[in-house]
Structure formats: C-alpha cells, structure tokens
Amino acid sequence: MEHELSNLTGTFEVAFCGSEKNSEVFTINCTVPRTITKDQIFKQVSETFKTSQTLRDLGLQQRNTELFDEMFCNEDSTTTSNNTFDWPMTKIGTSVTIPCHANVATRYCSSRQAAHSEMPLKCSPFTGVWQEPDMSQCYNTEGITQQLKNISNEDIDKENVEEVSTKLSDISKKSVYFKVEDIDLAVDIHEKMLPLISNVSANITLHNILLSINDMINTPEEILVEAEKSKRTGSRMLDILEAIPEEIPLEGQPLTIAYSNIGVGITKVEEKSFNGLFYGVLYGNKETKVKTMIYNSSYAETPQEETKDMDFISLPRSLMKHLQDEGLSTMARISFVFMRDDKIQRVIQKSSTEANTTIISHIIAANIPKISITNLDEPVTISFNLIDQNATNLRCVYWDEILGNWSGEGCKRSHNISGEKVFCSCNHLTSFAIIMVGKIMTTC
C-alpha cells in the first residue's frame, strides 16, 4: 500500500492496527508540503484506496477514512513526591505550560521521528513523544513579586478595578509561597481597590476581592508576623475584611458567601419590620462546603432543625430601638463575618508579644458600618461549637482592635452543653470567640 501511495506528493508510512468489528484497521502517517491542503490530501488518499490493488488482493473495501491534519502527544501525568501534574493533549513541535507550585512547569511534545526513529508507529493521532518536563521554575517566586509590583504600579480606577481584582485573585492562590514583600503588596492593592467596590457588582467583589483575602490568609504565619511588625499587614487585612461588606452594593435580598477561611453575610433592616436577626454558619469538611444563612428573627424563632448544629450570632429585637435612642437611622445595614480560626489575630499578638491565647472556637462577628454598638439593653447571643471537645475553663471573649488582644469585658458565658457547645451573652457588636484560660475567670 505504501508503494501505491508513493505516487502522491509527500511521504507515507502505513501500519496495520488490527481487527475491529469485522474491519481491518490501518493507520497512515503522512508528511506533505504546506502547499497541499487537508481536503486535497484526503481526496488523493481516498482515490488511491478506491483503485488499490493491495486492498483488492486482501479482499478489503474502504469503509471509513478519518484524516487528522496534526499529530499530538496524548494527555499525560507527572507525579512528584507531593503532587500530580496533568499535561493536556499537545501538538507536536510545541511546548505546554501548566501551573506548578509558585510558578510554572513546561514540557515539549516532539515528533516520533525526532524522538525515537525506531519507535513503532502508533495507531492513533497521538504519535508525539513527550520529553521530560522542565520543573526547574516551580519554586521561583520572583514572578509572583513582579506580577504584584506591576499591579501595584497601575492606576486603579472604576474602569479597571474588575480586571485588577481578577489578576490579584489569581496570584493570591499562590499565597503559600508569598514573601513579606508579596503580602505587603497584595494588601496595598486591596486598599486601593476598597473605595471602588461600590462601582462593581457584588458578584465581582465576593468572587474576586473577598476570595483573594481568603487565599491570602494561607500565607505562612511567620511571614505574616514579620509583615505585621513592619507594616501592620495583618491588622490591615482585618480592616479590609470588615470594610468589604460595608461597600458592597446591596439590592433587596441578603447576601451570604463562604470560603475555606472566611465568609460574610450582609442585609438591610428597618425598624418597623425588625424582629431580631440571626446569622448562622455550619462549617464543612473536605467533603462538604461551609453553609451560611441569615434569618430576620432571633435564634428562638429560627427552624431549630436547620440551625441547631450551627455556630451563630443572634441580635435582639431592641437593637433598632437602641439606634433610635442614640439618634441614629431607623434603617441599617448589618454585616456579619466568620473566620475559621484566629490566625490573623494570632499574628497580631505575636508581632508584639508571645501569644499564648488558646482559641477553641471559630470566630463570628456582627457590625453596623461606621457605628459602634455598645451597652445594649438586651444582649447579643452567640453560640459556638467547640473545636476541642475536651477543653475546660472556657471564657467568652471579643477582639479588642485597640489593644490587639482578646478581652472578656461585656461578655459572659450564659450556658453550655458539656464538650459540645458554649453560649455567650455580650452587650456590644464586634468579633467573638471562646478561649481556654488557665483558671475559670470570675466574669464567665
């Protein structure tokens, strides 16, 4: 058959691939000049088959012909000690680049002839041969720093804030490789974007800007401590996290979203219809996602089957009356934030002293933007599921932003379910948690 094809322009190699469904399958690998089109070569090969003496001698008839105009390396995987990297189908003569740790890895797909001239022809379009991957740049973090510098040097405005937030979100996925300079630059960019949030959709803010903060928390703790010492980076991250819900455009229905480290909830309330407010968080694991919800009622009036296993904060009905008594608006935006652990607070503590606080709960917060809520007539109720079910000497605390430490002032432990839950009552709005202390405090 190769002899019959030799009359055509180009070179042709024929291989028998075996029998399949009462058919004999052959593959033909051809190399032709660029001046010959795919349609031309297909027509010439088909005409040759129709008059092929070889096929007649074998008692075969042409049934189906498929023409692949380019050859490829098939999908492949490279496994290292702690990762598996998947290489996509790639055209012969080209390289492919994939994400690899802090940077990228590359791999070249060579032709069969160039790689192994003795290699038998495969009966598939995947005739290319993968070369060994180049993973030498996987841990080169200079590219991360340069990308952040490039973004930081841009003039960020309402026209490009969406594009900038997308870039930063992509880079933040590699925050486990951040240096002090990198986390500082990332926070600087967030502070530039913050005043512009009201100009972009809530969807962009939640899925780019908030997600970026979530991923930045994965920066190694020792790096965050050094960044806090030099530029208060951890404190600024908390400020940004608190400010984001204040700036998000909110229309009608409450907004909630949850990521691996943090989540937010935002709603508007009016004095006439306010019946208390409930924000609950059900923490997921590797198989399930975090679930959050807001109810326009206090905890006692929520569906107990849905909320009984949640960490939650419940605001009293008298909250709006408190605002009126203070001469404030009868309408308010209330924001909630949860944090899976106290990593950022721990960083702030370590930057100035040896932190020895043991937090044995998640963190949950409620705020009314630009208003300090203290000395409430009815307390705020907060419920925590204990992370350490064997913990003892528990204390309800809040994060004192001025002191950069946890404080129990204005909070008390109302009751608990041994080894499972602790309920706190506090007379103000801020961030709350449970700590384990060396001895039971008289304020508990």
Side-chain angles (χ1 to χ4, degrees):
M1 193 181 298
E2 284 183 0
H3 174 72
E4 294 167 333
L5 292 168
S6 65
N7 294 322
L8 306 180
T9 303
T11 59
F12 297 82
E13 296 176 75
V14 181
F16 175 60
C17 299
S19 300
E20 181 181 327
K21 296 180 180 179
N22 299 320
S23 297
E24 305 299 323
V25 181
F26 295 84
T27 186
I28 302 171
N29 184 34
C30 61
T31 303
V32 298
R34 292 181 181 275
T35 54
I36 299 179
T37 67
K38 178 179 177 180
D39 289 340
Q40 287 173 329
I41 192 63
F42 186 80
K43 182 178 180 181
Q44 291 175 12
V45 170
S46 295
E47 290 296 327
T48 301
F49 285 165
K50 288 178 182 178
T51 60
S52 170
Q53 184 62 45
T54 303
L55 291 179
R56 282 199 294 269
D57 291 345
L58 293 172
L60 301 176
Q61 292 182 335
Q62 178 188 359
R63 289 187 179 178
N64 185 38
T65 303
E66 293 183 62
L67 179 62
F68 297 90
D69 58 349
E70 294 173 344
M71 296 294 122
F72 302 88
C73 288
N74 201 359
E75 295 175 350
D76 192 30
S77 296
T78 301
T79 301
T80 63
S81 58
N82 56 358
N83 281 100
T84 297
F85 300 95
D86 296 319
W87 303 93
M89 185 175 70
T90 301
K91 179 183 173 183
I92 284 176
T94 63
S95 295
V96 63
T97 299
I98 62 172
C100 172
H101 301 297
N103 206 327
V104 294
T106 59
R107 199 175 187 188
Y108 183 73
C109 173
S110 65
S111 67
R112 179 177 61 88
Q113 291 86 350
H116 301 286
S117 58
E118 74 283 359
M119 181 179 175
L121 184 65
K122 295 182 179 179
C123 296
S124 79
F126 303 114
T127 60
V129 177
W130 283 114
Q131 299 298 297
E132 285 298 313
D134 178 4
M135 307 183 80
S136 61
Q137 296 300 305
C138 285
Y139 291 99
N140 183 349
T141 63
E142 293 306 314
I144 291 175
T145 306
Q146 190 57 55
Q147 289 179 72
L148 288 167
K149 285 181 177 178
N150 292 342
I151 297 174
S152 183
N153 290 332
E154 290 185 38
D155 291 326
I156 304 175
D157 54 35
K158 63 181 181 180
E159 301 299 328
N160 67 359
V161 64
E162 180 176 340
E163 178 185 353
V164 169
S165 69
T166 301
K167 291 179 184 177
L168 184 57
S169 180
D170 289 341
I171 297 170
S172 298
K173 291 180 174 64
K174 299 178 180 179
S175 63
V176 291
Y177 304 105
F178 274 13
K179 304 186 295 293
V180 171
E181 181 181 12
D182 301 328
I183 189 66
D184 285 341
L185 284 167
V187 172
D188 288 344
I189 296 166
H190 269 286
E191 289 177 334
K192 291 180 181 179
M193 290 192 296
L194 196 58
L196 301 168
I197 287 178
S198 59
N199 296 295
V200 299
S201 69
N203 186 60
I204 294 300
T205 300
L206 295 175
H207 290 91
N208 284 359
I209 298 175
L210 186 66
L211 179 57
S212 176
I213 290 288
N214 176 83
D215 292 337
M216 286 160 57
I217 293 175
N218 295 326
T219 301
E221 190 164 322
E222 63 273 16
I223 297 295
L224 288 171
V225 171
E226 290 304 311
E228 174 67 19
K229 288 179 179 178
S230 61
K231 291 191 176 181
R232 296 186 61 255
T233 302
S235 299
R236 291 157 62 204
M237 286 174 68
L238 284 184
D239 291 341
I240 293 168
L241 182 57
E242 182 177 327
I244 285 175
E246 300 177 10
E247 303 295 335
I248 292 177
L250 185 62
E251 299 177 3
Q253 296 298 315
L255 284 177
T256 63
I257 195 163
Y259 293 114
S260 56
N261 294 316
I262 58 174
V264 299
I266 317 151
T267 188
K268 286 182 179 179
V269 295
E270 294 186 51
E271 190 274 332
K272 291 181 180 179
S273 59
F274 188 71
N275 193 36
L277 201 62
F278 171 95
Y279 175 70
V281 184
L282 184 63
Y283 289 88
N285 50 40
K286 291 182 179 179
E287 288 75 36
T288 60
K289 293 183 178 180
V290 182
K291 179 181 179 181
T292 60
M293 60 177 62
I294 294 176
Y295 281 110
N296 190 21
S297 61
S298 60
Y299 169 64
E301 298 174 14
T302 60
Q304 296 296 298
E305 282 302 311
E306 288 188 49
T307 60
K308 66 178 182 178
D309 296 325
M310 288 185 155
D311 284 24
F312 69 78
I313 184 166
S314 178
L315 308 186
R317 291 187 182 92
S318 60
L319 176 63
M320 293 303 291
K321 180 178 180 299
H322 179 86
L323 293 181
Q324 286 182 294
D325 291 344
E326 297 293 326
L328 301 172
S329 173
T330 58
M331 176 179 288
R333 170 187 289 229
I334 299 179
S335 64
F336 302 96
V337 175
F338 81 77
M339 304 183 74
R340 185 175 285 274
D341 62 32
D342 65 324
K343 182 176 181 178
I344 300 300
Q345 289 86 354
R346 195 165 62 241
V347 161
I348 295 170
Q349 289 177 308
K350 285 184 176 181
S351 69
S352 58
T353 184
E354 285 297 321
N356 57 7
T357 304
T358 303
I359 297 292
I360 46 86
S361 72
H362 305 296
I363 298 170
I364 196 164
N367 290 287
I368 297 179
K370 300 177 176 61
I371 299 174
S372 176
I373 302 296
T374 59
N375 300 316
L376 290 169
D377 296 331
E378 290 183 271
V380 174
T381 300
I382 312 104
S383 172
F384 297 98
N385 290 289
L386 296 178
I387 295 174
D388 181 357
Q389 296 183 347
N390 296 316
T392 58
N393 298 345
L394 307 178
R395 186 183 184 191
C396 300
V397 293
Y398 77 95
W399 180 250
D400 189 320
E401 296 178 359
I402 297 175
L403 297 177
N405 212 335
W406 296 101
S407 170
E409 186 177 350
C411 288
K412 65 179 181 179
R413 194 176 70 198
S414 56
H415 65 285
N416 64 281
I417 301 173
S418 181
E420 296 182 19
K421 274 182 174 289
V422 172
F423 291 83
C424 301
S425 295
C426 299
N427 67 0
H428 53 279
L429 299 186
T430 184
S431 300
F432 303 99
I434 299 291
I435 65 171
M436 183 169 65
V437 294
K439 59 181 180 179
I440 299 176
M441 308 296 290
T442 57
T443 54
C444 289

